[in-house]
Amino acid sequence: MLKSILKRKALKRFATHPNQASAQTDLEAYPWHTLSVQEACQKLQTNLETGLTDEQINTHQQVYGSNALPTRKPPSLPGVILDQFKNPLIFILIIAALIAILVGEARDSLFIVAVIAINTIIGTTQEWKAEKSAQALQNLLQAYTHVRRNGLEQKVPFEALVPGDIVLLESGSRVPADIRLVKAGNLTSDESLLTGESVSVEKHIQPLPNPDLPISERTNMVFAGSFITTGRATGIVIATGLQTEVGKIAESLVTADVAKTPLLIRMEAFTRRIGLAVLGATAFLGIIAFFRGMNLVDSFFLAVALAVSAIPEGLPIAMTVALSIATKRMANRKVIIRQLAAVEGLGSCTYIVTDKTGTLTVNQQTVKLIALPSGDRFRVSEGKYLGEGEVTTEMRGGITEGDRKSLERLAKASAICNEGQLVYQVPEGTWKYHGDAVDVAILAFVYKLGLQPEEIRKVIDKVGEIPYESEHRYAATFYRENKTVKVAIKGALETILPFCQAMWSAQADTPIDRRHIEQLGQSLAEEGYRVLAIAEGVIQDQKEPGHYTQSDIRGLVLLGLICMIDPLRPEVKEAVIKCRQAGIHVAMVTGDHPATALAIARDLEIAERKEDLINGTQLNQVCLLETPECIETIKTARIFARVTPLQKLQIVKTLMDLGHFVAVTGDGVNDAPALKHANIGLAMGSGSDITKEVSSIIITDDNFATIEAGVEEGRFAYGNIRKVVWFLIANGFAEVALFMLAISIDLPLPLLPVQILWANLVTSGILNVGLAFEAGESVVMRQPPRKPTESVFNAPMLNQIIVSGGTMGLVCFGAWFWLLANGWEVESARNMTLLLLVLLEIFHIFNARSEYQSAFRIPIQNNPFLVFGVIAALGIHLLALHTPLLQGILGVSPVTLQEGLTAFLLASSVLIVTEIFKMVKRPAKSSQNNTAIP
Ligand code: ADP
Ligand code: MG
């Protein structure tokens, strides 16, 4: 029902473009699943081998529009402005302004309105900027898909697709539009978004006769919004944007609001609680003042003003700003935040579970060595992803005719079972490549042996394949040669060996010597090589093309081992050390061989000893049940080798149960559950769409060092939030203390309500914005991670608030007391006290720049915003002292140079006291830093 309404709505929209309507409804209504592949191509005037031409793409774009779904509407400027008024405090102020008018205090009322206006402007600009940077971030999250156009394969943004495009998909891809499949190998797709069915659907290409099939049974099509779970596919786009099945229900899928982070929610709740308490307390104070003879209206204004001073209403917005600045800084360091909560989360993570290939290494595979089953080794010359070079041997006599034959047989099989492309482009004079790094590296080796991979692949007749998926650890290609069907297979030695019955040795198939081969593989892995075994064989039972499975593979001949190296990322070692200093554990989870993994872990200082390593089989044995032994094993291991994605999930779960806050990386489809379950899922920029979809952060360059940078930024952001809290709460504390002290010994009120408003919403409001821009202190990376549940108001925070806020309150009170005692007029004494308070705020902002270090040690040029804020706050107050209008409203007047200097010196006390406090505290702090990692 809902769907049909939405559909009608969508159609109606198109009906407004007369020439579009017919074309779109035409395509939309078409039962594409009943057509044969050829018919579908014809209808869309596209060519399977070459795709659309630029001209066709242009016309299709004009007719069908872009392949975009409606997204969340960004808030408008008026909306953001209105948002500022959703604050109870503002309501109180508005009521106060109204009352002021009623009792004839028009000037006060104007002033309150002005204060509200200034506050709204500050709030709006901050929130607007935060929103803008959130939108910029959205652009970074642009998704791409592979298409064939003008005879070339290329990457285009989702939006650019048009009906008729030939799209190439693989496991993990998000389906970019509705697509009629024309090629499908082992294909399954997750359509839960459309059908609600969580089991993946198997796909094929045969036409289906019934035109009225429900979506879920159109098994020769894939639909926008679903994900490819296994296999590879080619297909024709038949509907884009709102014409897709998901497009028809899209309006109901538009996600509402951006989620708030837990810290922000807590902070808002805190502000609300404090607000209520303060309202109660100030009402009480107002009542006391009233009974002491103050008139009702004045007591009310006093209560309002005090409430304004003590409620940290600037806190949530300052936090939002700090978080948005952090996401921007992170984006500059290649960390893209998908969920705002991850900013603070990353900073508090205690465990990083990382992939090996691509994250710790550069994933530039180079074949270095070929080992034949006989044990004979052959060197392959350097030059990655280049088809030029040679294969040599250190054995006497060089490469014999027999060796060459063996190598060529192995090379041929590895070119056939290969999804990569490496071709020399004559016009540019360069080598172009495409596909999995392992595959491309193997192609380079095939060239170096003097063969042409494309020629080899051209002559064979492919009848089936099992594409490489990391959890299978192998790939196979079935092909017909003469009358027989053969299979070429490559993958991890342990996976390939059970398929083999013979090995190619001394120019003949000889019975396989498993022990010898295993030892050969082990010793090569220990040298740090990534080892791939190659085998081939004949398939006995011939089947329909596309119906071959793993069960058809047996009795193969092992042809040899291909050994690759993949250089370490040079910056990772330092990043691992930094993580250790920051109290974060790092563990490697890999599908690769244990010996290879250990060699790399040692180089990176992730682990030293063999005992730090556990492999998938062992893990399975100890973790059949969730015994204490299993938990202990996972807790102590630092390298997990030959593990499956399911085990990765188990590792993450166990670590989380142990109380860790776990960040885990992933790139493939099967990593998705672990990423989703972890506290923080880190998707690799080069990874699949599905991992990005379920992750909270994307690491665009795949680099482990980038994760460490993200942790640092996360901690900086949290640190800046604490600074704002310290600054704002200490100010409020000072003002409340000043009033309590004055009232308790029956002195007149030290500040007028308008003066309190001024000091809070104007000067302090201008100042605190700057703190969110603090650069961040490296010291935070030498501290253990905070508990994710830790309150901002922990003991150190309370202490520093009491020390600095108390000092400010006492100094103001002391001055007030002294001025009155020395015969100052109440009005000019208030003028001085207000000046003193503003100056105290200015000194205190320098305190708040660091909780640990002396204010003098943080370079002032690190934060131009703060400098600007200080100048602006001081300037605006001096202006008030000298402009008649503000003089009248605020009850202020110019002070002499001597008075000004005295106030300045007095105000510096808060800096001095806090400096001493930091000094006293510091040794204790540093010993705490050295505590061992739990
Ligand atoms: P990693 O954890 O280092 O990313 P992978 O999961 O990518 O490891 O690889 C695991 C194993 O799968 C490798 O050791 C290798 O034996 C095998 N393998 C990797 N890539 C391919 C490929 N393209 N074709 C066949 N087998 C592969
Ligand atoms: Mg991998």
Side-chain angles (χ1 to χ4, degrees), residues 356-357 436 439 468 470 490-492 530-532 590-592 642:
K356 174 176 72 69
T357 305
D436 189 304
D439 286 341
Y468 172 69
S470 62
K490 73 177 193 308
R530 188 178 173 85
V531 182
L532 249 71
T590 174
D592 214 341
R642 289 285 194 235

Side-chain angles (χ1 to χ4, degrees), residues 542-563:
Q542 299 205 1
K543 294 182 174 173
E544 283 271 298
H547 285 73
Y548 292 99
T549 63
Q550 179 172 331
S551 59
D552 297 309
I553 309 173
R554 66 190 99 90
L556 304 186
V557 183
L558 181 74
L559 300 180
L561 305 177
I562 297 184
C563 306

Side-chain angles (χ1 to χ4, degrees), residues 342-403:
V343 175
E344 50 186 79
L346 194 55
S348 65
C349 91
T350 62
Y351 214 114
I352 301 176
V353 175
T354 174
D355 283 345
K356 174 176 72 69
T357 305
T359 311
L360 302 177
T361 68
V362 288
N363 195 20
Q364 282 172 357
Q365 313 284 347
T366 316
V367 176
K368 279 282 199 160
L369 193 79
I370 307 293
L372 294 180
S374 59
D376 290 347
R377 293 174 170 212
F378 302 86
R379 302 234 143 253
V380 181
S381 66
E382 294 263 352
K384 54 173 186 263
Y385 308 157
L386 291 179
E388 292 144 17
E390 53 189 0
V391 179
T392 53
T393 175
E394 276 144 31
M395 284 179 301
R396 257 181 300 134
I399 299 186
T400 65
E401 202 42 42
D403 292 340

Side-chain angles (χ1 to χ4, degrees), residues 819-837:
L819 290 169
L820 293 181
N822 285 274
W824 281 53
E825 294 277 329
V826 168
E827 192 170 320
S828 41
R830 280 193 182 130
N831 183 34
M832 276 305 284
T833 312
L834 178 61
L835 176 64
L836 186 58
L837 182 63

Side-chain angles (χ1 to χ4, degrees), residues 355-358 417 419 436 438-439 442 468-475 490-495 530-533 589-593 642-643 667:
D355 283 345
K356 174 176 72 69
T357 305
C417 177
E419 292 187 79
D436 189 304
V438 166
D439 286 341
I442 289 177
Y468 172 69
E469 307 277 2
S470 62
E471 84 265 38
H472 299 148
R473 298 200 190 107
Y474 79 96
K490 73 177 193 308
L493 181 57
E494 303 98 291
T495 322
R530 188 178 173 85
V531 182
L532 249 71
V589 171
T590 174
D592 214 341
H593 193 281
R642 289 285 194 235
V643 293
D667 52 6

